[in-house]
């Protein structure tokens, strides 16, 4: 019948659509990150069993405080930016000499990568003064038992340096996330974690055999090794992709120019979002690590060491499974919500009249 209206003739699903590709990459990424968490937790468990034979609970308590210092600096320096950069902005307003304010154009892959690289340097700019400030506050407010720990100041300064050095890997991490290179990230963090465990155990065993009171210095050496290896692996792997992507790991202007960019480099909408998330992240950090702060403030070093071991074992499932899924889901939803709707992204329906 020629006069029939609105009959649905075909419905075609496109398995190769961008949405399907994102789902496949996200599922692979979740697998990589879960394997990374399983491997790192297994290594941490083995290291803890070795360290218990050589270190007192008091030293484990001091190392817990130093680790909390490093976690706090990293969180306040980069967390809000990491969340912001997971949102995919596909268009950019363009300067219009004719007065049309609604012009915009799609961003190239090079511009997308360069934009996240430029913004990731803000984490370094925030991290350096935060590391110095938190270190000064720690020394000022630490009790006499902590300050009497051998090499405590050297350990703190080495932690400070390692934390800042880890922040220098943020441009590489931002590109990894933007291009969904979860396998590269997992391999880099696995190698770095293995290096940290090896250096920590090796330094502890060496100091014990040499009758040297190293204090918390082995943990600081391990953290420094982690930061160095992480940067090295990231840079070596990104060189492979750099030839195919028109971006730089240094701060570079984004072309064409746009009123949505500060100095042609930093996205205004992303900066506004980062400031909003930063205020929320303060409460998130207190909720996440508030117990550690309370334990450090009101209990003995021995109790802090015992609590850290128990907390690490008790949170294994959450860290190994739920944390990677949360991270992948956040990245996936940020991309899907900003993906333009088109017939290539959804089931295509052809209506015959």
């Amino acid at each position: 019948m020629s006069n029939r209206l609105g009959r649905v003739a075909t419905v075609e699903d496109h398995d190769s659509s961008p949405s399907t590709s994102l789902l496949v990459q996200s599922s692979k990424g979740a697998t990589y990150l879960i394997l990374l968490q399983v491997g790192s937790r297994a290594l941490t468990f083995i290291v803890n069993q070795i360290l218990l034979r050589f270190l007192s609970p008091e030293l484990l308590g001091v190392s817990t405080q130093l680790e909390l210092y490093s976690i706090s600096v990293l969180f306040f320096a980069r967390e809000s930016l990491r969340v912001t950069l997971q949102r995919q902005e596909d268009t950019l307003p363009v300067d219009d000499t004719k007065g049309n304010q609604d012009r915009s154009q799609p961003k190239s892959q090079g511009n997308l990568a360069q934009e996240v690289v430029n913004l990731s340097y803000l984490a370094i700019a925030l991290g350096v003064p935060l590391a110095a400030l938190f270190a000064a506050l720690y020394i000022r407010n630490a009790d006499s038992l902590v300050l009497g720990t051998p090499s405590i100041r050297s350990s703190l300064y080495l932690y400070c340096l390692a934390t800042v050095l880890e922040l220098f890997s943020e441009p590489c991490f931002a590109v990894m996330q933007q291009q969904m290179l979860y396998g590269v990230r997992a391999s880099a963090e696995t190698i770095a974690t293995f290096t940290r465990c090896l250096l920590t155990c090796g330094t502890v065993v060496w100091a014990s055999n040499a009758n040297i009171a190293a204090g918390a210095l082995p943990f600081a050496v391990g953290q420094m090794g982690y930061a160095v290896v992480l940067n090295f692996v990231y840079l070596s792997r990104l060189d492979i992709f750099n030839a195919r992507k028109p971006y730089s790991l240094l701060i570079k202007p984004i072309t064409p120019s746009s009123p949505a960019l500060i100095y042609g480099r930093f996205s205004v909408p992303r900066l506004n979002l980062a400031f909003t998330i930063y205020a929320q992240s303060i409460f998130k950090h207190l909720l996440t690590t508030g117990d550690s702060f309370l334990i450090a403030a009101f209990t003995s070093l021995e109790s802090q060491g015992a609590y850290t071991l128990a907390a690490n074992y008790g949170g294994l499932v959450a860290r190994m499974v739920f944390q990677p899924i949360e991270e992948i889901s956040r990245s996936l939803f940020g991309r899907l919500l900003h993906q333009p709707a088109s017939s290539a992204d959804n089931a295509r329906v052809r209506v015959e009249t």
Side-chain angles (χ1 to χ4, degrees):
M1 298 176 62
S2 60
N3 60 348
R4 58 189 175 178
L5 299 176
R7 186 172 63 87
V8 177
T10 57
V11 178
E12 301 175 5
D13 293 328
H14 296 267
D15 295 333
S16 59
S17 66
S19 298
T20 304
S21 178
L22 284 176
L23 289 173
V24 173
Q25 288 180 293
S26 297
S27 62
K28 290 182 179 179
T31 302
Y32 285 133
L33 295 184
I34 290 175
L35 292 176
L36 168 63
Q37 289 294 327
V38 171
S40 63
R41 297 304 164 184
L43 285 174
T44 302
F45 176 81
I46 296 173
V47 169
N48 286 337
Q49 299 307 309
I50 296 175
L51 295 180
L52 287 174
R53 300 175 179 272
F54 295 95
L55 299 179
S56 64
E58 289 79 8
L59 283 180
L60 292 178
V62 174
S63 69
T64 299
Q65 294 185 6
L66 293 176
E67 184 178 359
L68 182 61
Y69 156 80
S70 179
I71 291 174
S72 299
V73 173
L74 292 174
F75 188 91
F76 287 117
R78 72 188 185 187
E79 180 66 17
S80 62
L81 286 170
R82 282 189 169 187
V83 175
T84 301
L85 295 180
Q86 288 179 352
R87 299 187 61 173
Q88 195 80 356
E89 301 286 348
D90 295 324
T91 60
L92 186 69
V94 182
D95 286 333
D96 192 351
T97 56
K98 295 183 180 182
N100 184 3
Q101 300 298 324
D102 297 329
R103 283 190 57 195
S104 62
Q105 69 174 27
K107 295 180 183 178
S108 65
Q109 289 298 316
N111 280 347
L112 286 172
Q114 191 62 56
E115 184 177 314
V116 299
V117 167
N118 291 349
L119 287 172
S120 64
Y121 275 89
L122 296 179
I124 302 174
L126 284 172
V128 172
L130 283 176
L133 175 63
F134 287 0
L137 291 175
Y138 180 79
I139 290 295
R140 179 178 179 180
N141 296 305
D143 57 39
S144 57
L145 290 177
V146 174
L147 295 178
T149 304
S151 306
I152 182 60
R153 292 182 181 271
S154 300
S155 302
L156 176 62
Y157 297 151
L158 199 56
Y159 255 98
C160 180
L161 182 60
T163 302
V164 172
L165 186 59
E166 185 174 347
L167 286 174
F168 273 90
S169 69
E170 282 303 296
C172 298
F173 179 89
V175 174
M176 298 284 185
Q177 289 293 100
Q178 192 269 332
Q179 298 182 0
M180 303 186 77
L181 301 176
Y182 298 114
V184 178
R185 174 191 166 186
S187 63
E189 293 187 7
T190 299
I191 297 173
T193 301
F194 179 78
T195 303
R196 175 171 57 192
C197 295
L198 186 64
L199 287 177
T200 302
C201 290
T203 307
V204 167
V205 173
W206 170 79
S208 177
N209 292 333
N211 293 323
I212 297 176
L217 195 59
F219 297 95
V221 172
Q223 191 66 26
M224 175 60 71
Y226 177 89
V228 171
V229 172
L230 186 68
N231 278 275
F232 176 79
V233 177
Y234 272 164
L235 290 173
S236 62
R237 296 301 300 271
L238 275 181
D239 281 340
I240 301 174
F241 300 95
N242 217 3
R244 298 182 295 178
K245 299 292 184 182
Y247 65 87
S248 171
L249 290 177
L250 301 176
I251 299 179
K252 296 289 184 180
I254 300 173
T255 55
S257 60
S258 168
L261 296 173
I262 299 178
Y263 301 115
R265 293 168 172 82
F266 304 103
S267 171
V268 175
R270 290 193 188 233
L271 285 174
N272 292 334
L273 179 61
F275 289 140
T276 302
I277 296 177
Y278 195 89
Q280 300 173 357
S281 66
I282 297 176
F283 296 98
K284 178 182 177 182
H285 187 63
L286 292 177
L287 292 174
T288 304
T289 59
D291 57 339
S292 299
F293 283 110
L294 292 176
I295 292 295
F298 297 108
T299 64
S300 63
L301 290 177
E302 183 177 0
S303 298
Q304 294 175 39
Y307 176 81
T308 300
L309 291 176
N312 286 337
Y313 296 149
L316 283 178
V317 175
R319 292 186 178 95
M320 289 191 300
V321 180
F322 298 136
Q323 182 179 350
I325 293 177
E326 177 190 0
E327 185 174 345
I328 292 296
S329 299
R330 189 167 53 190
S331 177
L332 175 63
F333 295 154
R335 291 172 179 271
L336 290 178
L337 289 175
H338 287 81
Q339 192 177 51
S342 65
S343 59
D345 297 330
N346 304 290
R348 184 174 63 190
V349 178
R350 185 170 71 246
V351 179
E352 294 185 352
T353 60

